Amino acid sequence: MSAIRRGLPRVPGGEPWPPAREAPAHVVAASVEDVTTADAVAGSATAVGSPRGDVPLRRGLPRVAGGESWPAEGFAPHWVVSATDAAQEAAQEAAREAAGVEPEAAVAEDAPVLAGPAPTRSRLHPHARRALMAAAALVVVGALAVLVSRWFLGTDAGEGFVADHPGTYPLPADAPVGIPAWLSWTHFFNVFLMVLIVRTGLQVRRQTRPPAYWTSRTEPTSRIGLPSWTHQALDVFWVLNGVVYIVMLFATGQWMRIVPTSWEVLPGAVSTTLQYLSLDWPAENGWVYYNSLQQIVYFLTVFVAAPLAIATGVRMSLYWRGGERWDRLYPASVARKLHFPVMIYFVAFVVGHVALVLATGARENLNHMYAGRDDVSWVGVGIFALSLVVIVAAAVALRPVFVAPVAGKFGTVSSR
């Protein structure tokens, strides 16, 4: 054991620092070796009288009163400075061990490597990487599904199954034919509102602090973010549009086109799915009927997914008035866990629906739904393109500067 070398006091009139104690011999040896190395560097620079490299020596206090800073001004080779730094680091590490301080392993592990080029990191956000991986997996699964479907339909069993279940069955004798104007308009409003609802819903889900807040005048405690108010206001219009659609659907008999009326719809849906996957589109005439797969998907969307979206959305909205009992029976956490997957379903439905509309005869299908006519003119395509312009313009204009004045008419909008 050797005594620790003490320096000047930290306060006037105090004792030298650090307090008197002994340190292990290896700490003192490391310190002496460090000083010796620094003295050797300084001495060599002084003896030569000229720079020995391109790294300037670090100078400290003079050794005698009124003298110059030590060591003398000069330069040292890079390897000498590196050796000195290594000696200093060794002495500091030994001192930490003597004091019982654990080394900062985490810092050492994360320290950048000085030798060689810095490691490159991927610029893709983790969400983007996961999305790309999911897209790649979807492409692989889709390609396998196409190959398997084409192989099966090429066998005798596959051909016999499609012949027995082509994917359609006769509708009731009084089923209507054609697409009425009210159906075209409610269809457009549904797409228009859904795009805006999904946009605001994702904004609410991602944001940490809303750009503004909305407070009800009748209930001052009802304070929500402006994007949440916009999302819920759009939901109200979407529900009203759905009510009009459901009423007209049953008043005009159009329900028979999307509500299955025969158990043949089940094997027919399997047959239609195989035909779609094989890229050999099934025979269809949307002006008169929908195939079995379309019927099941439209039925689930209108009578299952839509009510579920409304029920979960109302529970999380400012319109909820369930009371303490219903709050316990139907907690908001349950509604929140269901609401987002339902939105994902609607997005997947819209993407798949639009893709098949465009792939299975775009002009004829768009004429049916947007122009209300059964031909192959370009009228439906023109109306569809105009509707896209309106939807995109509305999505771009859905900003606080435009929304705040409207929200201010129904409550108080503030920045805090």
Side-chain angles (χ1 to χ4, degrees):
M1 302 294 288
S2 303
I4 294 179
R5 188 174 60 182
R6 306 172 71 189
L8 297 175
R10 289 195 169 186
V11 294
E15 295 184 359
W17 184 265
R21 62 182 180 185
E22 293 183 344
H26 68 275
V27 177
V28 178
S31 303
V32 172
E33 182 181 357
D34 180 25
V35 174
T36 304
T37 305
D39 290 345
V41 173
S44 60
T46 305
V48 175
S50 62
R52 294 185 56 197
D54 56 354
V55 182
L57 289 170
R58 187 173 60 181
R59 306 177 70 192
L61 297 175
R63 290 198 168 184
V64 295
E68 295 184 357
S69 300
W70 182 262
E73 185 177 1
F75 294 83
H78 178 71
W79 66 270
V80 175
V81 178
S82 299
T84 304
D85 293 341
Q88 293 176 351
E89 291 178 2
Q92 294 173 359
E93 182 66 23
R96 284 196 295 268
E97 292 179 358
V101 179
E102 297 183 359
E104 298 180 0
V107 176
E109 292 176 359
D110 296 338
V113 180
L114 298 180
T120 57
R121 294 183 179 179
S122 175
R123 296 182 179 180
L124 287 177
H125 192 275
H127 294 303
R129 287 199 299 271
R130 286 194 291 267
L132 288 176
M133 294 176 62
L138 187 62
V139 170
V140 173
V141 172
L144 291 176
V146 170
L147 293 176
V148 172
S149 299
R150 294 182 70 87
W151 166 80
F152 176 73
L153 294 182
T155 63
D156 293 340
E159 292 179 355
F161 181 76
V162 173
D164 295 337
H165 309 283
T168 60
Y169 61 89
L171 295 179
D174 57 343
V177 176
I179 306 296
W182 67 264
L183 185 55
S184 298
W185 278 103
T186 54
H187 179 271
F188 163 72
F189 283 128
N190 181 68
V191 176
F192 174 82
L193 292 169
M194 282 187 62
V195 170
L196 302 184
I197 288 172
V198 171
R199 181 182 182 277
T200 55
L202 292 176
Q203 184 180 4
V204 171
R205 185 178 178 85
R206 292 195 305 260
Q207 72 181 4
T208 56
R209 184 178 185 277
Y213 295 91
W214 181 89
T215 306
S216 173
R217 293 192 182 98
T218 58
E219 298 182 16
T221 57
S222 300
R223 180 174 176 269
I224 58 176
L226 186 61
S228 296
W229 180 88
T230 307
H231 183 76
Q232 296 178 32
L234 291 169
D235 287 340
V236 173
F237 287 103
W238 184 71
V239 172
L240 292 176
N241 183 68
V243 170
V244 172
Y245 170 78
I246 293 296
V247 171
M248 295 299 296
L249 196 69
F250 286 95
T252 61
Q254 286 286 333
W255 64 270
M256 288 179 278
R257 293 168 56 91
I258 66 171
V259 176
T261 57
S262 171
W263 288 109
E264 176 61 24
V265 71
L266 296 178
V270 175
S271 174
T272 308
T273 302
L274 291 172
Q275 294 176 64
Y276 278 127
L277 290 177
S278 69
L279 304 182
D280 185 11
W281 311 127
E284 59 181 34
N285 183 5
W287 187 253
V288 179
Y289 62 86
Y290 295 130
N291 63 48
S292 297
L293 180 61
Q294 288 174 318
Q295 267 199 333
I296 291 179
V297 174
Y298 293 162
F299 175 82
L300 292 176
T301 302
V302 174
F303 296 102
V304 178
L308 188 58
I310 296 171
T312 54
V314 169
R315 179 61 184 90
M316 298 185 297
S317 71
L318 55 87
Y319 306 109
W320 174 255
R321 298 293 186 275
E324 184 177 353
R325 178 184 178 185
W326 285 102
D327 288 347
R328 292 197 306 268
L329 294 175
Y330 184 24
S333 58
V334 174
R336 190 175 296 108
K337 291 179 180 178
L338 293 175
H339 195 69
F340 184 71
V342 173
M343 188 209 73
I344 296 298
Y345 169 81
F346 274 109
V347 172
F349 167 78
V350 171
V351 172
H353 177 63
V354 173
L356 288 177
V357 165
L358 298 179
T360 59
R363 283 194 295 174
E364 185 175 0
N365 291 332
L366 293 177
N367 269 338
H368 290 170
M369 185 54 66
Y370 283 89
R373 51 197 298 172
D374 187 25
D375 56 28
V376 289
S377 65
W378 291 94
V379 178
V381 175
I383 299 175
F384 173 69
L386 181 61
S387 71
L388 291 182
V389 173
V390 174
I391 293 172
V392 172
V396 173
L398 205 64
R399 298 181 178 180
V401 65
F402 300 114
V403 175
V406 179
K409 298 181 180 299
F410 303 92
T412 303
V413 179
S414 60
S415 59
R416 295 184 181 180

